[in-house]
Amino acid sequence: MTVRAFTLADATLERSPGQDADVFVGNLVDERDGAPVTIGYGRYGPGVSLAETMAVDDVMIVLEGRLTVESDAVALDAGPGAVVHMPKGVAVTIRAGDEGAVTAYVTYPHWRPAHA
Amino acid sequence: MTVRAFTLADATLERSPGQDADVFVGNLVDERDGAPVTIGYGRYGPGVSLAETMAVDDVMIVLEGRLTVESDAVALDAGPGAVVHMPKGVAVTIRAGDEGAVTAYVTYPHWRPAHA
């Protein structure tokens, strides 16, 4: 494997599987590349919310906008530059702020086969 | 484990092991937490460069400033919002721009025991 660099423009964003809300994800590195982690960008529409039980460890880095991540009745607010760690097995509700949000994510192991 | 959110202010930055240059790293989640990945923030001084052969897969997200990552005679430029994947085993030279840079990183497996 070689070093690769990406920007949001490199990602092909698709609606997040199983979600009706405006949550879009685009993998840049995943199980097809032979790397141990999946890397991608996500985009959340204004005010959308998404409830999920994590199938993998997911690290989300907020690049634009704001998100609130609620788990165990605790709500964590995350703006640009914040990093949120959502461990495998936890139940979370992610809510985007009024301007929506753009994130980068890294999951271990790969989220797509774990999600299927 | 529970969901956790961090900002740069939560990190205790220390000089990167084995480096004389102004490169500082601060883990927020690592082998002591029972997670499969290490998560942290890094800070590069203006113009510093760092050569390393990757002991782990390292995903670097540029939050502020610019970095160039050189590997196999190819130089990749990364500014705010860019994500750089440095797979285990590759040799890289990371150079910070004139304003230095702030990054978030996610490694698999944990970089510190692999680096020791």
Side-chain angles (χ1 to χ4, degrees):
Chain A
M1 276 190 288
T2 56
V3 174
R4 296 167 70 193
F6 306 98
T7 67
L8 179 59
D10 296 316
T12 302
L13 298 178
E14 307 170 291
R15 194 172 292 269
S16 187
Q19 299 294 335
D20 292 327
D22 281 344
V23 179
F24 300 90
V25 294
N27 288 354
L28 294 162
V29 172
D30 62 18
E31 61 277 8
R32 296 166 290 191
D33 298 286
V37 292
T38 288
I39 305 168
Y41 284 101
R43 184 186 286 281
Y44 296 76
V48 303
S49 88
L50 175 165
E52 194 164 5
T53 297
M54 305 309 296
V56 297
D57 272 66
D58 190 324
V59 182
M60 182 168 71
I61 300 93
V62 181
L63 299 174
E64 298 174 24
R66 298 199 82 81
L67 293 167
T68 301
V69 182
E70 205 178 302
S71 182
D72 288 331
V74 174
L76 302 167
D77 181 53
V83 176
V84 182
H85 177 216
M86 299 178 284
K88 180 177 175 177
V90 303
V92 300
T93 300
I94 303 174
R95 287 177 220 281
D98 292 345
E99 297 175 12
V102 174
T103 63
Y105 56 79
V106 180
T107 80
Y108 175 84
H110 299 293
W111 70 265
R112 203 184 291 271
H115 201 276
Chain B
M1 275 190 289
T2 57
V3 173
R4 296 167 71 191
F6 305 98
T7 67
L8 180 58
D10 297 315
T12 302
L13 298 178
E14 307 170 290
R15 194 172 291 270
S16 187
Q19 300 293 333
D20 292 328
D22 281 344
V23 180
F24 300 89
V25 293
N27 288 353
L28 294 163
V29 172
D30 62 18
E31 59 278 7
R32 296 166 290 190
D33 298 287
V37 291
T38 289
I39 305 168
Y41 285 101
R43 185 186 286 282
Y44 296 77
V48 303
S49 88
L50 175 163
E52 194 163 5
T53 297
M54 305 309 297
V56 296
D57 271 67
D58 190 324
V59 182
M60 182 168 72
I61 301 94
V62 180
L63 300 174
E64 298 174 24
R66 297 199 82 84
L67 292 167
T68 301
V69 182
E70 205 178 302
S71 181
D72 289 332
V74 174
L76 302 167
D77 181 53
V83 175
V84 183
H85 177 216
M86 298 178 284
K88 180 177 174 176
V90 303
V92 300
T93 299
I94 302 173
R95 288 178 219 281
D98 291 345
E99 297 175 14
V102 174
T103 64
Y105 57 79
V106 180
T107 79
Y108 175 83
H110 299 293
W111 70 265
R112 202 184 292 271
H115 200 276

